[in-house]
Amino acid sequence: MVGATGQVGTLMLELLRERGFPAREIVPFASARSVGRTLDGGLVVQGLDDESIQGFDLALFSAGSSTSGKWAPKFVQAGATVIDNSSHWRMQDDVPLVVSEVNPDALDAHNGIIANPNCSTMQMVVALKPIHDAAGIERLVISTYQAVSGTGKAAVDELLGQSHALLHEREIEPPDSYAHQIAFNALPHAGTFAAGEDHTDEELKLINETRKILDDPAIRISATCVRVPVVNGHSEAVNVQTRDELSPERARELLAAAPGVSVIDDPGAALYPLAIDATGKDDVFVGRIRRDPGHERALDMWIVADNLRKGAATNAVQLAELLHERGLVHPQGAPSAT
Ligand SMILES: NC(=O)c1ccc[n+]([C@@H]2O[C@H](COP(=O)([O-])OP(=O)(O)OC[C@H]3O[C@@H](n4cnc5c(N)ncnc54)[C@H](OP(=O)(O)O)[C@@H]3O)[C@@H](O)[C@H]2O)c1
């Protein structure tokens, strides 16, 4: 496991244990800063080098894009299949981008690297898949309300540190994780703006990854990604326009029957999905399902999930389980670990 000391890596280790993944041995890797550290459960963190990466069947990566870009091919060369949480490989044609409930058969075509989607895309497509199958999605208008844990551990510390300082009427340190103060604020700037680009990379990921996972490049998508001062759990307001008419009642039935989805939808009783309730759970929660009064073939809904679990770690472990169950850990023709 590469990135084993991070938020996603720690959770992947926990999930492998909790779900009884049949690994003979798990070896944690992280940056040079952590080499020699003993993790919960007694595993000792290793450093990445050409020798230490030999002999693995599976490598789960959550150590950022540049580490994946450099080390994933080396693990593949050494005989492992890589499941990668970073954005580095996701849009490459020969790399399947897979959500376990949505397009598991895409694993069949893997060549050694499998990409785990971006967290805000992941939770949304789990909820959209049954609607797409039943009525054909033509257009999506998405606004996200993304938690700071999606940025990494340092951003969580920054939100808590700023909140504490402000509540004690102290000056805050200059922001580091974001362009502005995140405490008591909402930033229309989740991700980064490339030079000359008016969408953030997070918004472009939501657009491009959704089309790739649902295997439908014709879906028209508008996305605004907002960072909010929530520690964990992404929320999304999604307007879904379908080709065929779909009633809110039918959508509720479809979603209630869908794998990995829980419907919480009784707004009169103040029951709808909340980030704090989704935290620590693996399902995607959907509520506020209603007809868009401005369009006869569109619905509005509110989709919430734990971005570290289903948005990253849980799906990565589910993909490892699927590879194992389907005998796909070693793609045909690839060298296997000894
Ligand atoms: N957070 C989310 O909601 C989410 C969702 C989907 C995908 N992801 C992706 O998952 C990855 C990790 O996210 P996170 O939230 O877990 O980040 P994090 O808490 O900041 O952890 C980063 C991990 O990467 C390791 N690392 C950093 N540089 C390294 C290097 N040069 N070589 C080896 N290991 C290195 C760190 O090791 P040290 O402890 O030694 O620094 C740590 O284990 C990112 O690619 C992120 O985009 C995150």
Side-chain angles (χ1 to χ4, degrees):
M1 173 150 338
V2 183
T5 53
Q7 302 182 109
V8 176
T10 304
L11 207 43
M12 287 197 297
L13 281 174
E14 256 176 61
L15 286 165
L16 288 171
R17 277 193 219 111
E18 255 172 51
R19 297 168 71 103
F21 187 78
R24 275 193 302 270
E25 189 189 5
I26 297 174
V27 178
F29 291 94
S31 79
R33 291 179 289 274
S34 305
V35 171
R37 223 182 101 190
T38 304
L39 303 180
D40 284 350
L43 299 175
V44 178
V45 176
Q46 311 291 312
L48 291 164
D49 62 51
D50 289 339
E51 269 171 35
S52 64
I53 67 165
Q54 302 296 320
F56 295 103
D57 296 305
L58 272 177
L60 274 60
F61 269 66
S62 61
S65 224
S66 57
T67 305
S68 292
K70 177 172 176 194
W71 288 96
K74 293 182 187 240
F75 269 91
V76 173
Q77 192 62 38
T81 289
V82 169
I83 299 172
D84 181 34
N85 270 293
S86 84
S87 57
H88 190 88
W89 302 98
R90 290 183 192 146
M91 292 311 296
Q92 201 150 302
D93 282 344
D94 59 348
V95 172
L97 181 63
V98 190
V99 182
S100 64
E101 299 86 348
V102 178
N103 61 338
D105 294 344
L107 288 172
D108 293 344
H110 86 82
N111 292 311
I113 299 179
I114 294 148
N116 212 31
N118 176 45
C119 40
S120 41
T121 309
M122 183 99 71
Q123 66 183 62
M124 189 180 73
V125 294
V126 172
L128 293 183
K129 169 73 172 161
I131 294 174
H132 193 44
D133 287 348
I137 293 173
E138 283 183 341
R139 181 166 195 259
L140 299 167
V141 181
I142 309 155
S143 299
T144 69
Y145 302 69
Q146 294 183 223
V148 297
S149 64
T151 310
K153 266 192 308 218
V156 175
D157 293 342
E158 191 160 319
L159 169 62
L160 298 179
Q162 288 179 357
S163 305
H164 191 264
L166 292 165
L167 287 170
H168 290 84
E169 296 177 2
R170 287 203 309 268
E171 291 280 307
I172 62 165
E173 303 283 319
D176 186 36
S177 296
Y178 303 112
H180 302 278
Q181 172 189 320
I182 181 66
F184 309 108
N185 208 356
L187 309 178
H189 183 175
T192 52
F193 290 100
E197 184 58 76
D198 57 7
H199 284 73
T200 65
D201 59 347
E202 189 77 5
E203 289 159 352
L204 297 174
K205 285 177 204 171
L206 202 43
I207 295 169
N208 297 327
E209 293 182 22
T210 298
R211 291 180 176 142
K212 179 167 176 176
I213 297 161
L214 295 178
D215 194 20
D216 191 343
I219 300 176
R220 287 177 289 159
I221 307 179
S222 163
T224 305
C225 291
V226 180
R227 190 71 63 185
V228 291
V230 167
V231 171
N232 191 56
H234 289 351
S235 305
E236 301 175 327
V238 186
N239 180 275
V240 187
Q241 182 185 316
T242 52
R243 183 192 58 230
D244 303 328
E245 203 276 336
L246 185 70
S247 68
E249 295 72 28
R250 181 70 188 129
R252 237 173 255 122
E253 281 171 13
L254 290 167
L255 287 163
V261 179
S262 290
V263 176
I264 304 176
D265 201 8
D266 187 0
L271 287 174
Y272 28 69
L274 295 174
I276 51 173
D277 296 335
T279 291
K281 306 207 174 85
D282 288 319
D283 267 5
V284 172
F285 298 88
V286 189
R288 300 291 323 276
I289 302 164
R290 62 204 190 275
R291 165 74 56 225
D292 168 359
H295 198 289
E296 64 285 359
R297 282 180 291 102
L299 298 173
D300 284 299
M301 59 190 69
W302 179 246
I303 304 172
V304 179
D306 183 330
N307 49 295
L308 296 178
R309 288 183 85 98
K310 185 59 197 177
T314 303
N315 196 66
V317 171
Q318 288 170 321
L319 297 187
E321 291 169 347
L322 281 173
L323 288 173
H324 175 66
E325 283 159 25
R326 297 181 175 198
L328 291 168
V329 170
H330 296 294
Q332 266 191 335
S336 56
T338 51

